[in-house]
């Protein structure tokens, strides 16, 4: 494609690609004011497309990987970028797999490009796959939580790029939960939902987290990945940002995304978070709470979202948070522990509360919260502030360490 045509197409993309702006502050929530629209790394095509031209490109992407309102793979193909392979994280490239479900390799019917699953038999590309590429592009929307697996995929890709001498271009996107909170992971509870010594809410974008992975030597054998982060324009961590595309099947609303750091902890309990409904991570309940709460919902099997949810086919009684003031929660910069304390107090069979064996989604509370003391703290009736005090000095130490890797205020 002639250089003149490339510049023309890039110009058109720039005009149409401004992302959703962060909302202005108000006296009620105290949200900071954004004076200009947020522009994601992907939207800044002029900053990275010239580098990709003439190279064999691999892309780690899913349905959140957009330029303007179009999938980035389509936009880049139109520009003449030679995309050789797509690598899909958990839920797959087209987001048609449930949480935790293995995803197989396939050919994308819309582009004919091979799709390699990074959430099936392999967690990172093979030597053969990497040798067929000159550069890798990473563009996946994260939600800022330790147990959200996209940061694990980022680490795996960085290791593969480092091992085979490939550069990684990271198209950065805002973290909708940009605060830092929760206990730092005790590494004896390291798992697939917690691989690094970071808090529950780590307060970093993917680009910043990649810098931390390199800087702290957290990649296998301390190897270093050659990264180029295309930073977000007009973004700060405390801005309230509405995602233009749901990041995964069970985070299908802005409310679910903002409530996720608080409600996902219930995956380690007998309390349903609404998997098996079309309102996941905005409701809480269990059959045993009948008579204590008026609100009810019934989880059912929903292909592509939750095939075998906790309490399937049973009426659950609890609370509806769909109209909760999520902007105020976001502005607080805190995980809400009051719901956990409330539901433990209300649950009639205390010995069953932390039984997560019926839930196929995540696992034990220890793996989710990152230590073996939180469960006892809740059972012993400690207050939220008493629990928070136990997160120190680890949380403050993490915040100090984090500063050197930040790209945004």
């Amino acid at each position: 494609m002639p250089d003149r045509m490339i510049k023309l197409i890039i110009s058109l993309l720039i005009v149409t690609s401004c992302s959703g702006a962060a909302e202005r502050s108000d006296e009620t929530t105290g949200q900071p004011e954004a004076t200009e629209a947020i522009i994601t790394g992907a939207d800044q095509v002029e900053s990275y497309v010239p580098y990709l031209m003439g190279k064999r490109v691999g892309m780690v992407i899913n349905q959140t990987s957009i330029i303007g309102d179009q999938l980035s793979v389509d936009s880049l193909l139109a520009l003449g970028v030679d995309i050789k392979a797509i690598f899909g994280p958990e839920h797959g490239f087209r987001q048609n797999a449930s949480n935790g479900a293995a995803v197989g390799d396939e050919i994308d019917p819309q582009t004919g490009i091979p799709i390699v699953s990074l959430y099936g038999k392999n967690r990172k590309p093979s030597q053969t796959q990497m040798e067929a590429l000159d550069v890798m592009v990473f563009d996946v929307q994260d939600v800022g939580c330790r147990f959200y697996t996209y940061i694990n995929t980022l680490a795996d890709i960085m290791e593969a790029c480092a091992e085979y001498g490939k550069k990684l271009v990271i198209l950065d996107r805002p973290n909708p939960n940009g605060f830092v909170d929760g206990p730092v992971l005790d590494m004896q509870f390291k798992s697939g939902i917690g691989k690094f010594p970071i808090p529950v809410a780590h307060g970093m974008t993917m680009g910043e987290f990649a810098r931390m992975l390199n800087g702290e030597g957290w990649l296998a054998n301390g190897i270093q990945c050659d990264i180029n982060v295309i930073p977000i324009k007009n973004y700060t961590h405390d801005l309230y940002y509405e995602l233009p595309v749901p990041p995964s099947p069970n985070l299908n609303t802005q409310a679910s995304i903002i409530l996720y750091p608080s409600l996902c902890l219930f995956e380690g309990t007998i309390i349903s978070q609404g998997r098996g409904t079309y309102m996941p991570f905005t409701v809480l309940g269990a059959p045993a709470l009948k008579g204590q709460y008026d609100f009810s919902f019934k989880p059912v099997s929903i292909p592509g979202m939750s095939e075998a949810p906790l309490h399937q086919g049973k009426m659950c009684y609890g609370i509806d948070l769909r109209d909760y003031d999520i902007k105020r929660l976001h502005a607080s910069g805190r995980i809400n522990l009051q719901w956990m304390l409330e539901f433990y107090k209300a649950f009639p069979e205390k010995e069953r509360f932390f039984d997560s064996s019926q839930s196929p989604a995540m696992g034990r509370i220890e793996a989710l919260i990152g230590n073996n003391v939180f469960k006892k703290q809740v059972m012993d009736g400690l207050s939220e502030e008493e629990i928070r005090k136990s997160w120190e000095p680890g949380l403050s130490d993490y915040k100090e360490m984090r500063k050197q890797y930040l790209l945004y205020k």
Side-chain angles (χ1 to χ4, degrees), residues 205-223:
T205 66
M206 287 296 215
E208 293 171 323
F209 195 73
R211 287 159 54 88
M212 181 181 284
L213 288 169
N214 268 341
E216 296 301 308
W218 287 346
L219 300 179
N221 302 313
I223 56 177

Side-chain angles (χ1 to χ4, degrees), residues 126-344:
S126 67
Q127 179 176 352
T128 300
Q129 291 162 347
M130 291 300 296
E131 289 178 346
L133 305 174
D134 297 315
V135 62
M136 186 75 80
V137 175
F138 188 98
D139 180 23
V140 176
Q141 176 67 60
D142 191 48
V143 298
C145 293
R146 185 179 64 221
F147 33 66
Y148 205 63
T149 64
Y150 295 160
I151 59 172
N152 299 346
T153 299
L154 172 63
D156 292 338
I157 288 294
M158 288 178 66
E159 288 180 2
C161 288
E163 289 167 2
Y164 301 108
K166 309 297 180 180
K167 192 178 190 70
L168 178 63
V169 178
I170 300 173
L171 308 181
D172 216 7
R173 293 183 177 276
N175 177 354
N177 294 301
F179 62 95
V180 178
D181 199 29
V184 172
L185 175 68
D186 180 338
M187 291 299 281
Q188 69 174 309
F189 297 102
K190 180 180 179 181
S191 70
I193 55 171
K195 295 181 65 175
F196 307 104
I198 59 176
V200 169
H202 54 70
M204 307 191 87
T205 66
M206 287 296 215
E208 293 171 323
F209 195 73
R211 287 159 54 88
M212 181 181 284
L213 288 169
N214 268 341
E216 296 301 308
W218 287 346
L219 300 179
N221 302 313
I223 56 177
Q224 299 286 294
C225 178
D226 182 6
I227 62 173
N228 178 22
V229 180
I230 308 301
I232 312 155
K233 290 184 178 180
N234 309 319
Y235 168 73
T236 62
H237 287 282
D238 55 358
L239 287 178
Y240 182 80
Y241 177 76
E242 293 202 17
L243 270 61
V245 179
S248 54
N250 284 289
L251 294 184
N252 57 357
T253 63
Q254 182 70 8
S256 66
I257 292 164
I258 302 302
L259 290 165
Y260 181 73
S262 302
L263 267 57
C264 192
L265 296 176
F266 283 91
E267 298 270 26
T269 75
I270 199 71
I271 305 298
S272 167
Q273 319 81 41
R275 289 191 188 272
T277 74
Y278 291 100
M279 48 189 179
F281 293 102
T282 60
V283 298
L284 293 169
L289 294 172
K290 183 177 181 179
Q292 299 196 54
Y293 295 93
D294 294 330
F295 174 71
S296 64
F297 61 92
K298 182 188 290 186
V300 298
S301 178
I302 304 177
M305 288 185 70
S306 186
E307 281 80 3
L310 178 65
H311 303 313
Q312 182 175 343
K314 299 178 182 179
M315 196 66 72
C316 295
Y317 300 86
I319 59 175
D320 182 357
L321 297 170
R322 284 174 292 178
D323 293 326
Y324 190 78
D325 190 348
I326 57 172
K327 290 185 180 179
R328 182 177 292 277
L329 177 61
H330 180 274
S332 75
R334 281 184 157 201
I335 295 166
N336 186 320
L337 295 180
Q338 288 302 314
W339 293 315
M340 180 70 70
L341 302 180
E342 173 189 338
F343 272 81
Y344 179 76

Side-chain angles (χ1 to χ4, degrees), residues 15 81 95 102 104 142 165 200 242 385 392:
V15 170
V81 175
Q95 287 281 293
D142 191 48
V200 169
E242 293 202 17
E385 291 309 312
E392 299 294 353

